[in-house]
Amino acid sequence: MTISLWVLFAAIVAYLGVLFLVASWADSGRLSQRWLTHPLTYTLSLGVYATSWTYYGSVGLAHSSGYLFLTIYLGVTLAFALTPVLLRPLLNLTREYQLSSVADLLSFRYGSGGLVVTIFLLIGVLPYLSLQIRAITESAQILTQQTTPSVMGFVFCIILAVFSVLFGARHYTVRDKHYGLVAAIAFESLVKLLALLCAGAVAIWGVFGGIDAIVLWSAEHPEAMNQLPLREQAPWGSFLLLSFCAAFLLPRQFHMMFHENLNPRALEQAAWMFPLFLLLLNVPIVPILWAGQAATPWLSPDFYVLGVAQASASPWLTLLIFLGGVSAASAMMIVTALALASMVLNHLVLPYRVQRGTAKRDLYRFLLWAKRLVIVGIIAAAYGFSVVIEHNSGLAQLGLVSFVAVAQLLPGVVGVLYWPRATRLGFLLGLSGGALVWFGLLILPLFSHSQLLNSPIALEAVFGDYGTNIWSVATFWTLSVNAVLFVLGSLLTRPTLEEIEAAERCHVQSHLAPLTGQVTAASIAQFRLLLTDVLGQRVADTEVGRAVAELELSDDEARPAELRLLRERIERNLSGLIGPALARLIVDDRLRLQRKTQVAFSDSIRFLETRLERSRSELRGVTHELDLLRRYHRDILQALPIGVVVVDPNQRVTVWNHAMTELSGISARSVHGVALTQLVAPWAQTLCEALASPPRQVLRRSVVWNKGELSLNLNRAVLEGESSATDTQQTGVALLVEDRSAIDHLEQELMQGQRLASI
């Protein structure tokens, strides 16, 4: 049974049109927010991991290597099993500092490493992108029986480029969440799962006639059963490691798992739901393999799925199974193009634009159009690569080439999470060494039989006939060279101040580090003025305004601590717009810090409180218990019926509890970090008098306030261990403020109650 090429074109356009409709509904709010942020939607969006390699190539890998094909999914399961110590910390980092790609993450930690990572991933992922194009063109050739795969691939890439721009290049900044993209990729995962299960059902009941028949056939063909067990010297360990790395380091996986995460709590649910999704995808593989051997042995095992579809003699079922392959390929290419485009902009294009001094010329518009052009360029490069290496390797082999490439990022990511001593030079040496070995072992041999390029190097010439063990050789040597150079380079160099600060931020304890330094800019207006020179008026006003609104500051804010927090927030927001390296460069250059000027103790305390609130989900063990104790004491302090004011050694307010707010009408936020002498009358004079009084001595004062005349009892609390006046210069002071009129009223009520009781 054959299908017209134009029918396939029409089916592809119609299918992508449905995807665009789903994305538009999600972006416009027609789809419920509850469904978009549901863990199941998030899990299905991670199904972008299952590409044409899964849909077609798993059968081919099962044919050549038996159950070895399962390791590609068992490694992913292992990565998700390590969610608490691996994926959760990475999600927290990317959300906290607005890091949209793995290049941003490594650049944030190691400085200039983002440029090398971007170039390496552009080259490393091209074989994987070309795999998708090749799968679509060859599947179309099988269904149409026409020898024009290049035309099919070219048209497919044009259609996909248009839809990629429509899907992901409607926002000028990558920090915006793409609700439509998440919904569309989740929908695609459902389509390919349904199509593959249908192919499995056709294999069992259509080709064999039922489960009993397939069992009988396998007994009559023992060679089919002997084909499945793991072969001797099978590279199962290497495949497990490669798929483990690919689970979160592939650009598309990092993008969907961390950047497009709409609900942080969904990751815990995905830790078991996503392996279950992969299990369902792999259930039909063996039946399809046997059905292909029985019904269409002349086909390549990579395309037994289509052979089974043709055996059904149903055009609609055949189209559905073909669209399952289109779904697998298009989802991967769209998300990968978006992820790579953000890397290219942040680490290749924008730094060059800033150096030329043209970044302030409508940066938002430039980002939008540059992103669109980069997406088209990436898809075009993938098509060109597919033409160069046409018919040179199987689908699984092309995917494994890219898997070995992204595995080179593993030592650097481990350093981000667990080795503060790692340095930029060590990371660059390790990545460069591993990349060179990868290029020599796996990329050059791809061109050995190319029609356009002739390379004298082939795998057999370098290693002999290793078969599947070439992946063990390549994995071992690339990662060994990478890790050794990474460790040696880090140990032989001393980390810079910038690297030390970045390492502190990448660990949980960094949330407990106090603020340091004071911004030279003295007002929000100066922030806008200084950033205008490099970003332009529109971008500077928008980004400063965004940060001011997020921190709930007023435009006339001038407190040093608030300006220090504003500087940090602007850097994080710019990181989501132009990448962490460039954001840090601009902020350090324009909003400079006086690092020798220490932030007030009160401001550091408030900063730590904020960080602890954000970090409570990360705290474990003793640290978690201490945090619970801190919260308990804070809640007691806030719930006291008397006013409590705590000041640091510089006489700046660190605590202003609820009772004090009700008594004075002054919010705690407005006085945090403010010196007692700068409070409004009469509180400045009254509290200063209480501060100067001896401990245990009650001061009685009457003050006139907006509530009328207040009679107050003021007492300077005695801190534990305080023995002299000099102690207060180191520990700070707590002041207790009681409303005497309320106490008198309470005493009168108690006396009245006693008289009534006696009667």
Side-chain angles (χ1 to χ4, degrees), residues 15 19 22 40-51 54-55 181-197 252-253 256 274 277-278 280-281 323-324 326-332 335:
Y15 173 72
L19 282 187
V22 171
L40 180 59
T41 304
Y42 175 67
T43 300
L44 289 174
S45 71
L46 298 181
V48 71
Y49 178 82
T51 67
T54 295
Y55 198 81
L181 178 66
V182 173
I185 300 303
F187 178 79
E188 285 206 296
S189 294
L190 282 176
V191 170
K192 60 192 172 192
L193 176 60
L194 174 63
L196 202 55
L197 290 177
R252 68 178 189 277
Q253 290 303 117
M256 298 305 301
F274 187 58
F277 171 79
L278 294 179
L280 291 176
L281 280 176
L323 288 178
V326 172
S327 174
S330 59
M332 182 273 182
V335 179

Side-chain angles (χ1 to χ4, degrees), residues 55 76 82 168 181 214 233 287 302 315 333 339 416 422 436 556 577:
Y55 198 81
V76 178
L82 297 178
L181 178 66
I214 196 173
Q233 300 180 343
D302 282 335
M333 293 190 68
V416 169
L436 286 175
D556 58 351
L577 180 69

Side-chain angles (χ1 to χ4, degrees), residues 300-347:
S300 166
D302 282 335
F303 296 99
Y304 277 170
V305 174
L306 290 177
V308 168
Q310 289 180 312
S312 69
S314 171
W316 293 106
L317 186 58
T318 303
L319 269 180
L320 172 63
I321 294 176
F322 170 74
L323 288 178
V326 172
S327 174
S330 59
M332 182 273 182
M333 293 190 68
I334 289 173
V335 179
T336 301
L338 293 179
L340 291 176
S342 69
M343 295 186 202
V344 171
L345 286 177
N346 290 347
H347 303 286

